[in-house]
Amino acid sequence: AITLILISEYYDLKKYDKAMKNVNLLLKNSPNDSYAVYYKAKIEYDTGKKKDALNDFQKLTGDLKYGKEAKKWTESIKSELE
Protein backbone atom coordinates (compact mmCIF):
# COMPACT_ATOMS: atom_id res chain seq x y z
CA ALA A 1 0.00 0.00 0.00
CA ILE A 2 2.88 2.38 0.73
CA THR A 3 4.15 1.85 -2.81
CA LEU A 4 0.84 3.17 -4.19
CA ILE A 5 1.14 6.32 -2.12
CA LEU A 6 4.77 6.84 -3.14
CA ILE A 7 3.90 6.47 -6.83
CA SER A 8 1.22 9.16 -6.76
CA GLU A 9 3.25 11.47 -4.50
CA TYR A 10 6.38 11.26 -6.66
CA TYR A 11 4.27 11.67 -9.80
CA ASP A 12 2.56 14.78 -8.43
CA LEU A 13 5.99 16.22 -7.58
CA LYS A 14 7.17 15.41 -11.14
CA LYS A 15 9.83 13.10 -9.72
CA TYR A 16 9.20 10.66 -12.54
CA ASP A 17 12.34 8.57 -11.99
CA LYS A 18 11.36 7.82 -8.39
CA ALA A 19 7.73 7.24 -9.35
CA MET A 20 8.77 4.83 -12.12
CA LYS A 21 11.07 2.96 -9.75
CA ASN A 22 8.07 2.28 -7.50
CA VAL A 23 5.85 1.45 -10.49
CA ASN A 24 8.38 -1.14 -11.64
CA LEU A 25 8.58 -2.58 -8.14
CA LEU A 26 4.81 -2.95 -8.04
CA LEU A 27 4.68 -4.45 -11.55
CA LYS A 28 7.41 -6.95 -10.63
CA ASN A 29 5.14 -8.32 -7.90
CA SER A 30 1.81 -7.76 -9.69
CA PRO A 31 2.39 -7.58 -13.49
CA ASN A 32 -1.23 -6.70 -14.27
CA ASP A 33 -1.80 -4.12 -11.55
CA SER A 34 -3.95 -1.49 -13.29
CA TYR A 35 -2.85 1.30 -10.93
CA ALA A 36 0.80 0.68 -11.79
CA VAL A 37 0.13 0.39 -15.52
CA TYR A 38 -1.89 3.62 -15.42
CA TYR A 39 0.89 5.58 -13.74
CA LYS A 40 3.51 3.96 -15.96
CA ALA A 41 1.60 5.20 -18.99
CA LYS A 42 1.23 8.71 -17.55
CA ILE A 43 4.94 8.90 -16.72
CA GLU A 44 5.86 7.65 -20.18
CA TYR A 45 3.63 10.29 -21.74
CA ASP A 46 5.02 13.07 -19.56
CA THR A 47 8.59 12.08 -20.40
CA GLY A 48 7.98 12.02 -24.15
CA LYS A 49 7.64 8.26 -24.61
CA LYS A 50 4.25 8.57 -26.28
CA LYS A 51 4.29 5.24 -28.15
CA ASP A 52 5.07 3.38 -24.92
CA ALA A 53 2.34 5.34 -23.17
CA LEU A 54 -0.12 4.47 -25.92
CA ASN A 55 0.68 0.76 -25.55
CA ASP A 56 0.15 0.88 -21.80
CA PHE A 57 -3.06 2.92 -21.99
CA GLN A 58 -4.38 0.40 -24.53
CA LYS A 59 -3.85 -2.36 -21.96
CA LEU A 60 -6.24 -0.52 -19.64
CA THR A 61 -9.15 0.19 -22.02
CA GLY A 62 -11.14 -2.73 -20.58
CA ASP A 63 -10.31 -1.91 -16.96
CA LEU A 64 -13.26 -1.02 -14.71
CA LYS A 65 -11.48 1.80 -12.90
CA TYR A 66 -9.21 3.26 -15.60
CA GLY A 67 -10.87 2.11 -18.83
CA LYS A 68 -12.79 5.28 -19.63
CA GLU A 69 -9.83 7.57 -19.06
CA ALA A 70 -7.47 5.16 -20.83
CA LYS A 71 -9.68 5.30 -23.94
CA LYS A 72 -9.50 9.10 -23.94
CA TRP A 73 -5.72 9.02 -23.57
CA THR A 74 -5.45 6.42 -26.34
CA GLU A 75 -7.45 8.55 -28.77
CA SER A 76 -5.52 11.69 -27.83
CA ILE A 77 -2.10 10.09 -28.24
CA LYS A 78 -3.07 8.47 -31.54
CA SER A 79 -4.06 11.88 -32.92
CA GLU A 80 -0.77 13.38 -31.68
CA LEU A 81 1.25 10.66 -33.37
CA GLU A 82 -0.47 11.00 -36.74
Side-chain angles (χ1 to χ4, degrees):
I2 189 88
T3 305
L4 302 177
I5 296 166
L6 287 173
I7 291 168
S8 65
E9 289 295 319
Y10 284 136
Y11 179 82
D12 291 345
L13 294 170
K14 295 183 171 33
K15 294 186 181 219
Y16 301 129
D17 55 335
K18 290 185 178 188
M20 189 63 93
K21 181 180 173 189
N22 284 279
V23 164
N24 289 331
L25 183 65
L26 187 55
L27 288 173
K28 183 179 177 186
N29 297 320
S30 304
N32 298 315
D33 186 286
S34 58
Y35 183 89
V37 174
Y38 176 75
Y39 271 94
K40 182 174 185 247
K42 287 180 66 167
I43 293 165
E44 289 165 339
Y45 181 84
D46 289 344
T47 57
K49 299 174 184 164
K50 293 182 180 180
K51 287 184 181 178
D52 293 335
L54 177 62
N55 289 333
D56 284 324
F57 279 124
Q58 287 174 329
K59 292 176 189 174
L60 294 171
T61 55
D63 187 77
L64 290 175
K65 184 172 183 179
Y66 297 108
K68 213 173 189 179
E69 193 169 345
K71 285 176 188 171
K72 290 178 188 173
W73 275 100
T74 299
E75 290 169 15
S76 175
I77 296 169
K78 280 182 180 177
S79 69
E80 286 180 41
L81 294 175
E82 288 176 354

